[in-house]
Amino acid sequence: MEAFIVARRLCASDTLAERLRGVDLMRSVAEKDRARLVLRYLRASETDETLLWAIDGALAACGEVEDVGR
């Protein structure tokens, strides 16, 4: 649970580097359902192409492949 909390906080950061780190951490958390929710929320509001690619990869790593890239 602690890794998820850290990752969630990083995903909410104002800096791109921290958001990227948070997305990367989301790949490895045990709470995959919760991670997918955070990643979907972040994807809906993100405009940076690099981060969008990272989010799609993290979503796929969390088991979500149907909506990736949409």
Side-chain angles (χ1 to χ4, degrees):
M1 180 66 100
E2 186 174 323
F4 173 79
I5 293 169
V6 170
R8 186 187 66 204
R9 286 182 183 157
L10 287 169
C11 284
S13 174
D14 289 333
T15 67
L16 176 62
E18 287 183 350
R19 289 194 311 276
L20 279 168
R21 180 67 181 135
V23 168
D24 187 49
L25 285 173
M26 283 292 179
R27 293 173 173 264
S28 62
V29 297
E31 298 85 0
K32 297 297 185 195
D33 291 337
R34 295 176 78 190
R36 283 193 298 268
L37 292 174
V38 171
L39 291 166
R40 284 186 212 136
Y41 179 83
L42 183 59
R43 191 173 203 307
S45 61
E46 189 54 57
T47 59
D48 184 88
E49 284 294 319
T50 302
L51 191 52
L52 289 170
W53 277 96
I55 292 168
D56 286 349
L59 282 167
C62 290
E64 182 169 311
V65 291
E66 291 181 16
D67 294 328
V68 171
R70 293 185 188 173

